[in-house]
Amino acid sequence: MTLVQTASAPAVSARATGPAALAAAGLSARYGRIEVCRDISFEVAPGEFLILLGANGAGKSSLLGALAGIVASAGTVTVGGRRIDGVSPQRRAHAGLALVPEGRGNLFGPLTVDENLDLGLRHLRSDERAGMRADLNRLFPVLAERGRQAAAMLSGGEQQMLALALAIARRPTVLLLDEPSQGLAPVVLDEIVAAVNRLRTFGMALIIAEQNVRFAAALGDRFIALRGGEVVDEGHPSELANHSGTAARLLGAAPH
Amino acid sequence: MLAIAEYVVRGALSGAIYALLAVPMSLMFVTVRTIDFAVGAYALIAAAVCWSVGGALGLAAGLGAAMACAAFMAIIFLALKRLGCEDHIIYALASFGLATALASLVLWWWGTQAFVRDAFSDPWSVGGIRLAPQGVINFALILLLVGALHLLIQHTSLGRMMRAAAANQTGAALASIPVQGIQVGTYLAGGLLGGLAGLLVLYSAGLDFTAPLGLTLSGFGAAIIFGIGSPLRGFFGGLAMGIAQALAAGYASAMVAGMVPFLFVLLVLTTSRFGEEALAGGRP
Amino acid sequence: MIKSITRRVVLAAAVAGLAAPALAQGADRGPVKLGAVLSLSGPAAVFGIPERDAIQAVLKQMHSTTPDGRRIDLVLVDDKSNPTEAARAVSQVINNDQVVAIIGPSTGSGILAAGPIAQRLKVPLLGPAGTLAITDPKNEFYPWVFRVAPSDIVDIRVILRDMAKSKTKKVGIFYQEDAYGKTGVDEAKIFGPTIGLNVVDTVSAPYTATDLTAQATKLRNAGVEAVFLQVSISALGSSFLKAARQVGLDVPIYANAGLAQRSFAENTGPEAEGLRVLSIGNIPFDPVGGEVELAKMLQAEGKVPQGWGELVGTNALMAAVAAIDAQKGKEITGESMRDTLETLCNFKAYARGKACFAKDKHDGWGEDALVITELRNKQLKTLD
Ligand SMILES: Nc1ncnc2c1ncn2[C@@H]1O[C@H](COP(=O)(O)OP(=O)(O)OP(=O)(O)O)[C@@H](O)[C@H]1O
Ligand SMILES: [Mg+2]
């Protein structure tokens, strides 16, 4: 179960000694015959926040999709030590994996906020639901006010909150977040950063795909960098903040 | 004045059948984004089998046969998916093929005869209008059924999952909603509701092997006229179609009358705000 | 001496031996091939199958030999109720089987599609359909198509005459939306007034209509005294009858020959009681004369008479038989069959009435082949 195929040893070692929250080995992703990610291996420890860095088209979304089962893939994936590769997205979700796709793609626009959340909560035991709903309301107070409104009618930031709430409502072991910063104003970003950091109290592991370096640095414990569908680097987010050159090299663009 | 009222009442009663057929159409369109052209053929099969078996057992046998045909369609759908076909036009074409095959089967086995049965002999007189009790029963039954379905879809956990799967299939898969199961269920519901429509037609006007396409298109017209997203709108769409047809038969010259319902659908689609929504599949 | 006699006998025998096969191959000794292109499957099979059964039963009774001793070989092909198939089948039986006349196709549209082929390949068609257009003198293929049933126009006149007997003045028509339906309306509007009947209202429906109460209401409101159903689709017929009963349209209702079928009579409910249906003869329920004979032949083959398909099918066969025997000793070709058919009059057939063809008259049967029946207790009883 240990990872063997990365070029260098992890910069931050797993904090727990039990099985990794999520481990991928030799993972590839493809659309039809076109392979867009190759031979990717990494691990996330329980409670660890991992940043997936990469420029446009680097393969971040494809990698997350491959983990969640909505993009065709090969290789092994385990969640909490249990193999989940080769099964349906539904089964992977049951095994403890949650994905918030790009553009809040896990939301159901015509359904109300309450109905969206109920769809997430329905997997909990009935006596746990009220408590979880209260937790979500505390984490995202705005959702409590907008319960009867259709999800599609919320603002972008509110939708991102709802998408997060929906994904964590069932207490996943690992949460995959695809570019939560996308399309959001800087003020709203700060709210999202705060919200994501509050997720630490839930104890779940987190993988965030990002190309906004500052945003990423504010969130993660560790990063791995993708380019052309392959892992090209990994390290601690402080490296990103200190050496803007690193970010530029990774993202193939000038820092800002 | 009474004459108009009479045409409206008669049209509403016959439109209820279209309303019933509109329900599976709109369910199918929102959950699988396709049309099951075989719904009219399920109606025919149910009527033919029920006619042959007879009695209460006939009703059950008819519904069973319609469901079996719908299950076959669901298997075709799953097979196409397994083969990697995600093209919704192909599903629609496959159902068209099945509809043709079922109509041929009925023609081969039963011939061109009409399937008609009678439960009641004497008409009721309501406010000076003579109505067949069966027509009134059909209307009440369909109203009840559509109401129940509306509640199911809007206020139950199953209904919520159906709406979620319809709105966002990937999201539904990520939320552990059995999308494929819901789609197969929708095909089966098409068999059940189409079959029921067939039985109601069997006990009212009657039908023969040519009926499927007409029934399917009437149901589809009813489903889209006020927006395809909800069975309740389909219900009113069906009534509107029936009333338009009856008024056309009553007042337009015979050769034009046949076109009126379609002109009516076209008119509603091009002028109303429902039009855009209908084409967008009723998503807000 | 004896030797020379023997030689002569041997010679004579040899000559005879050589001549005999030549004689057997001669114009009037080999079998004559007839084609039958009938709708044995598809919607028109209700007519095509009885046509086939009756033709086969009669041929069997005749031992496939005409009264004059000419053998007949029948080549049977299914046109699947499809005009394209019918045209293809007609050219197939002419080209591959060298038939000299064709019974069929079963449907009017099939005959219209096959007409030009019959003309080009010079083989006459004996069409068992009422469709007016098949014997329209304006058709280029007119010389090659003979009708062996009364035409749709004759049907309508007989129905209107029967209506007029009971002092009816105002007639309403319900018709199916196609050429057949339209023909009925047009003819009724022209012929009705000549016998004191006015068509005061017409209503229609497509084949697939499910509810006809609005149509029945309109005729009721127009105050019609009799209704005429110009439909060939039994579902439309029974649906209208139900609607009429429901809305209180309590007037005599007449239906055209499309509904004169055993399956219609036996499968409709009480709403059809008293319906008057035009029919070509009445083999299933009230056979007379030649119909009795034909019914017996069918029963001998285990067939139950279905309607008038048996009669029009055998009309075609008997016309061909009469034409063959009229050409005694001559070589028979498609052209000679055509020429002879135009001279036939009063030949043996099983339908009632007198059949005659002529150069300008390709409709062989007329009003005297028709009867008005009334549906009573799931049976069509002939009225007189
Ligand atoms: N549905 C698809 N079909 C075919 N190729 C695709 C599809 N989606 C993505 N790709 C290709 O896969 C590669 C990786 O795309 P992906 O969306 O994973 O990148 P990304 O890192 O998420 O980029 P972005 O930052 O723009 O979201 C790209 O080359 C893209 O063109
Ligand atoms: Mg992406």
Side-chain angles (χ1 to χ4, degrees):
Chain A
M1 209 67 57
T2 40
L3 108 178
V4 272
Q5 277 153 336
T6 37
S8 55
V12 175
S13 56
R15 283 186 283 192
T17 45
L22 180 138
L27 190 67
S28 65
R30 68 194 149 77
Y31 298 100
R33 294 218 183 103
I34 305 165
E35 203 176 55
V36 295
C37 292
R38 268 165 306 278
D39 197 18
I40 291 174
S41 303
F42 66 90
E43 270 187 20
V44 189
E48 186 186 16
F49 280 22
L50 175 71
I51 311 288
L52 201 54
L53 271 180
N56 289 116
K60 305 182 294 293
S61 300
S62 306
L63 175 56
L64 295 186
L67 291 172
I70 58 173
V71 171
S73 66
T76 59
V77 181
T78 60
V79 167
R82 296 217 325 266
R83 285 281 290 268
I84 59 160
D85 48 85
V87 305
S88 68
Q90 282 89 341
R91 293 263 200 90
R92 297 187 196 210
H94 273 305
L97 199 78
L99 168 65
V100 179
E102 276 174 303
R104 282 77 75 177
N106 61 334
L107 289 188
F108 305 105
L111 276 61
T112 65
V113 169
D114 282 344
E115 287 177 327
N116 269 282
L117 290 177
D118 286 347
L119 282 171
L121 291 167
R122 77 184 204 286
H123 299 283
L124 297 183
R125 290 210 323 267
S126 53
D127 56 328
E128 290 178 333
R129 284 179 206 157
M132 184 54 159
R133 181 62 208 256
D135 286 350
L136 292 176
N137 285 348
R138 215 169 312 126
L139 257 177
F140 309 106
V142 64
L143 298 181
E145 299 159 21
R146 299 294 173 84
R148 321 215 71 193
Q149 204 166 334
M153 299 298 158
L154 299 178
S155 74
E158 288 163 347
Q159 285 189 16
Q160 189 63 58
M161 308 272 188
L162 179 58
L164 274 175
L166 173 56
I168 63 175
R170 60 193 300 182
R171 294 190 196 286
T173 315
V174 194
L175 175 63
L176 313 180
L177 260 182
D178 198 351
E179 296 204 50
S181 70
Q182 199 183 45
L184 298 182
V187 199
V188 186
L189 273 188
D190 292 343
E191 273 180 57
I192 303 282
V193 170
V196 170
N197 274 321
R198 281 195 299 261
L199 292 183
R200 290 193 188 267
T201 57
F202 285 79
M204 68 192 71
L206 184 64
I207 303 177
I208 310 179
E210 260 306 336
Q211 48 185 322
N212 183 329
V213 177
R214 276 201 311 168
F215 182 74
L219 284 174
D221 303 324
R222 181 161 67 96
F223 76 85
I224 62 177
L226 282 186
R227 180 186 281 165
E230 285 174 81
V231 177
V232 291
D233 199 1
E234 56 186 297
H236 192 271
S238 58
E239 296 172 32
L240 298 173
N242 302 342
H243 311 87
S244 54
T246 313
R249 180 167 47 78
L250 291 176
L251 298 177
H256 34 95
Chain B
M1 208 47 232
L2 180 70
I4 291 197
E6 178 166 2
Y7 287 122
V8 170
V9 170
R10 295 199 185 292
L13 292 187
S14 70
I17 297 287
Y18 305 151
L20 183 55
L21 289 163
V23 174
M25 291 288 170
S26 67
L27 287 181
M28 183 60 68
F29 194 82
V30 294
T31 56
V32 196
R33 302 259 151 212
T34 189
I35 301 164
D36 185 357
F37 276 110
V39 168
Y42 305 149
L44 173 64
I45 287 283
V49 169
C50 175
W51 182 88
S52 285
V53 176
L57 187 65
L59 296 176
L63 282 185
M67 295 277 287
C69 295
F72 187 67
M73 183 59 223
I75 291 171
I76 295 177
F77 164 73
L78 289 177
L80 283 171
K81 271 200 128 170
R82 191 62 44 94
L83 291 174
C85 168
E86 293 287 341
D87 190 342
H88 303 197
I89 307 276
I90 304 283
Y91 306 151
L93 286 179
S95 72
F96 196 86
L98 180 65
T100 313
L102 290 176
S104 304
L105 179 78
V106 169
L107 179 61
W108 172 71
W109 185 258
W110 282 276
T112 52
Q113 66 169 88
F115 303 105
V116 201
R117 275 199 181 271
D118 258 310
F120 303 89
S121 45
D122 293 319
W124 291 342
S125 185
V126 181
I129 301 175
R130 287 162 57 121
L131 299 175
Q134 186 67 45
V136 180
I137 289 171
N138 290 358
F139 188 88
L141 200 67
I142 291 168
L143 184 63
L144 214 72
L145 202 76
V146 172
L149 251 159
H150 181 74
L151 290 181
L152 173 91
I153 289 172
Q154 290 304 325
H155 299 289
T156 67
S157 151
L158 175 64
R160 203 185 304 133
M161 290 203 279
M162 287 174 72
R163 281 182 293 132
N168 178 357
Q169 283 196 19
T170 309
L174 293 173
S176 297
I177 293 169
V179 179
Q180 197 156 295
I182 286 175
Q183 292 177 331
V184 167
T186 308
Y187 272 107
L188 294 180
L192 185 67
L193 297 173
L196 185 62
L199 296 184
L200 298 183
V201 174
L202 171 70
Y203 277 88
S204 18
L207 73 171
D208 70 0
F209 78 99
T210 60
L213 188 60
L215 290 174
T216 298
L217 292 182
S218 303
F220 187 64
I224 62 171
I225 198 164
F226 295 138
I228 200 162
S230 110
L232 212 55
R233 286 192 198 154
F235 178 75
F236 290 112
L239 297 196
M241 287 265 293
I243 292 170
Q245 239 166 33
L247 287 174
Y251 293 102
S253 93
M255 266 309 178
V256 191
M259 299 178 340
V260 167
F262 295 98
L263 292 177
F264 176 61
V265 171
L266 213 65
L267 192 77
V268 173
L269 284 182
T270 46
T271 57
S272 79
R273 64 184 186 82
F274 293 121
E276 299 152 32
E277 213 175 311
L279 295 176
R283 277 209 221 185
Chain C
M1 201 58 201
I2 290 175
K3 216 172 184 183
S4 84
I5 289 173
T6 314
R7 189 186 293 157
R8 266 182 218 165
V9 171
V10 169
L11 240 161
V15 169
L18 282 174
L23 266 176
Q25 280 166 8
D28 57 350
R29 294 269 56 92
V32 178
K33 287 196 161 185
L34 287 183
V37 174
L38 302 173
S39 301
L40 304 178
S41 57
V46 263
F47 305 116
I49 289 174
E51 284 163 7
R52 176 200 62 191
D53 290 348
I55 290 168
Q56 287 178 336
V58 170
L59 274 177
K60 185 161 183 198
Q61 167 90 5
M62 293 166 54
H63 303 293
S64 295
T65 312
T66 67
D68 204 43
R70 198 69 196 263
R71 228 192 121 69
I72 293 176
D73 280 355
L74 188 75
V75 182
L76 185 67
V77 184
D78 179 8
D79 70 21
K80 307 191 171 91
S81 303
N82 174 342
T84 318
E85 241 348 92
R88 201 193 54 72
V90 163
S91 77
Q92 177 200 318
V93 295
I94 300 175
N95 287 330
N96 300 1
D97 303 295
Q98 271 86 43
V99 302
V100 295
I102 292 170
I103 301 171
S106 291
T107 62
S109 50
I111 296 165
L112 289 174
I117 292 164
Q119 179 195 11
R120 185 156 45 80
L121 301 177
K122 300 194 182 347
V123 171
L125 302 179
L126 294 153
T131 313
L132 211 54
I134 66 168
T135 55
D136 186 337
K138 287 195 285 272
N139 294 337
E140 241 184 271
F141 54 79
Y142 173 81
W144 299 94
V145 176
F146 296 81
R147 189 199 304 279
V148 294
S151 80
D152 290 345
I153 281 199
V154 174
D155 290 1
I156 288 152
R157 292 184 178 178
V158 170
I159 290 173
L160 293 179
R161 282 221 183 86
D162 196 72
M163 280 183 179
K165 277 192 211 154
S166 50
K167 302 200 179 58
T168 302
K169 297 266 172 284
K170 293 152 84 180
V171 181
I173 302 180
F174 169 69
Y175 63 99
Q176 64 193 39
E177 287 167 5
D178 63 4
Y180 175 72
K182 196 79 173 56
T183 307
V185 174
D186 293 346
E187 177 59 17
K189 281 184 176 162
I190 297 166
F191 181 72
T194 67
I195 55 168
L197 286 177
N198 278 312
V199 177
V200 294
D201 211 343
T202 62
V203 291
S204 69
Y207 297 166
T208 55
T210 46
D211 183 278
L212 299 173
T213 51
Q215 283 84 344
T217 303
K218 192 180 184 205
L219 292 185
R220 186 202 66 201
N221 291 354
V224 299
E225 293 157 352
V227 173
F228 161 35
L229 309 182
Q230 176 71 350
V231 296
S232 59
I233 294 172
S234 49
L236 277 184
S238 45
S239 179
F240 184 88
L241 292 169
K242 268 195 142 179
R245 186 188 172 90
Q246 185 194 136
V247 308
L249 176 60
D250 299 318
V251 297
I253 299 180
Y254 285 75
N256 211 332
L259 302 190
Q261 297 298 324
R262 177 186 290 276
S263 59
F264 177 78
E266 290 179 347
N267 292 326
T268 41
E271 70 277 359
E273 201 63 12
L275 174 73
R276 294 188 165 190
V277 187
L278 180 85
S279 178
I280 302 168
N282 193 354
I283 319 187
F285 303 106
D286 253 341
V288 297
E291 295 166 21
V292 179
E293 255 182 88
L294 184 54
K296 279 198 188 124
M297 288 183 232
L298 286 163
Q299 270 143 22
E301 294 301 305
K303 306 289 182 193
V304 180
Q306 296 299 314
W308 41 260
E310 291 90 350
L311 285 172
V312 294
T314 53
N315 280 354
L317 175 67
M318 298 314 280
V321 165
I324 290 166
D325 278 358
Q327 302 173 66
K328 198 183 307 183
K330 298 197 190 106
E331 193 193 349
I332 296 180
T333 63
E335 277 176 288
S336 74
M337 284 294 282
R338 193 214 78 81
D339 294 346
T340 314
L341 279 167
E342 277 188 345
T343 66
L344 291 183
C345 198
N346 233 347
F347 50 93
K348 153 98 182 158
Y350 298 97
R352 56 188 90 181
K354 187 176 133 181
C356 270
F357 290 106
K359 196 170 177 58
D360 56 355
K361 182 174 173 296
H362 278 207
D363 288 4
W365 276 262
E367 293 188 15
D368 52 2
L370 298 169
V371 296
I372 299 275
T373 67
E374 192 170 285
L375 190 58
R376 283 186 222 134
N377 215 354
K378 298 192 179 291
Q379 301 220 325
L380 289 164
K381 292 292 181 193
T382 306
L383 301 177
D384 21 47

